[in-house]
Amino acid sequence: GAVVSQHPSRVICKSGTSVKIECRSLDFQATTMFWYRQFPKQSLMLMATSNEGSKATYEQGVEKDKFLINHASLTLSTLTVTSAHPEDSSFYICSASRLQTTSGSREQYFGPGTRLTVT
Amino acid sequence: QKEVEQNSGPLSVPEGAIASLNCTYSDRGSQSFFWYRQYSGKSPELIMSIYSNGDKEDGRFTAQLNKASQYVSLLIRDSQPSDSATYLCAVNPSGGYQKVTFGTGTKLQVIP
């Protein structure tokens, strides 16, 4: 169990266009999902926390009007990169939080990531 | 002071040896601790979680937690070249609910 999918896995777009990335928890419900960005040879950077049915919480320095997040259901969150520019080229990874019943703790499971290239 | 600290490595071990990866954290109230493995160009994969002091074993992996010392480690026995990856330590801080804080990762190289 605990499978998270992401689509697309790879996308190339022109500067100024928008790109939507989908994140789905396939075998569990996730009230909370997270969006990360990772540049080559750098560590994960949390962009925002996505909560089902409410507004996302963005980390400091992340432009909420540029990175639109929608968590419409318990299994789907989307990230839209609006007016993309070459500096937005990166590896975008989502994760979904699942309750671990024996411990009562929540574990994060990551999607396979989306590699975005803006030309 | 970083919230979760790891030595960036690379840590090189010969095939068949024990690899020991270490992590310290600053929030004494932290309750949940995780180890992720990330292959180059791929997303992180959860390999171990630990919530109470002591050792937790799963196959070739053993996680060790010492809350008094604010220290968590991961041992990999009989290391294989396929274990070569970056290992991320993650901590759920007190009051942080579901958000975890990741270390920058330790790169492990298993030499055949």
Side-chain angles (χ1 to χ4, degrees):
Chain A
V3 180
V4 179
S5 70
Q6 244 180 281
H7 179 80
S9 59
R10 188 178 295 268
V11 58
I12 301 173
C13 70
K14 292 186 184 299
S15 185
T17 61
S18 296
V19 173
K20 180 186 282 189
I21 303 169
E22 291 187 350
C23 177
R24 294 182 186 272
S25 55
L26 298 185
D27 53 359
F28 65 100
Q29 293 183 332
T31 55
T32 302
M33 293 183 174
F34 302 89
W35 287 96
Y36 295 83
R37 180 167 55 180
Q38 188 173 39
F39 294 105
K41 299 191 186 303
Q42 293 189 23
S43 54
L44 286 172
M45 188 195 84
L46 178 65
M47 299 175 66
T49 302
S50 169
N51 297 297
E52 188 267 337
S54 64
K55 290 183 179 180
T57 303
Y58 291 82
E59 296 299 301
Q60 190 172 8
V62 178
E63 300 174 59
K64 61 181 181 181
D65 294 331
K66 181 171 182 63
F67 298 100
L68 301 180
I69 292 172
N70 184 275
H71 195 152
S73 76
L74 289 172
T75 59
L76 173 64
S77 176
T78 60
L79 168 69
T80 301
V81 183
T82 62
S83 186
H85 291 284
E87 57 265 30
D88 298 323
S89 298
S90 187
F91 190 41
Y92 291 84
I93 316 172
C94 73
S95 71
S97 178
R98 188 185 78 162
L99 177 66
Q100 215 272 355
T101 52
T102 54
S103 67
S105 181
R106 289 191 172 271
E107 298 172 338
Q108 282 192 37
Y109 293 88
F110 285 85
T114 297
R115 197 161 301 281
L116 170 64
T117 303
V118 185
T119 61
Chain B
Q1 180 187 6
K2 292 182 182 177
E3 296 178 47
V4 179
E5 293 207 44
Q6 295 181 257
N7 189 315
S8 62
L11 172 66
S12 294
V13 300
E15 184 175 355
I18 296 175
S20 178
L21 303 161
N22 304 314
C23 171
T24 59
Y25 60 94
S26 60
D27 188 335
R28 184 171 289 277
S30 299
Q31 297 296 319
S32 308
F33 307 86
F34 309 93
W35 283 99
Y36 288 83
R37 177 176 61 198
Q38 186 175 23
Y39 291 113
S40 180
K42 302 295 185 182
S43 65
E45 173 192 9
L46 178 64
I47 54 173
M48 289 287 284
S49 55
I50 188 166
Y51 308 104
S52 55
N53 280 327
D55 294 359
K56 179 182 178 182
E57 187 175 317
D58 184 0
R60 295 187 296 114
F61 299 101
T62 299
Q64 298 175 318
L65 175 62
N66 184 325
K67 289 186 178 180
S69 299
Q70 295 175 239
Y71 175 92
V72 58
S73 65
L74 179 70
L75 301 178
I76 306 175
R77 289 182 299 281
D78 188 24
S79 295
Q80 301 296 310
S82 58
D83 295 325
S84 298
T86 296
Y87 289 80
L88 303 171
C89 173
V91 177
N92 188 334
S94 54
Y97 190 39
Q98 301 181 56
K99 188 167 75 170
V100 300
T101 301
F102 284 88
T104 54
T106 298
K107 186 172 183 177
L108 173 66
Q109 295 177 339
V110 181
I111 312 301

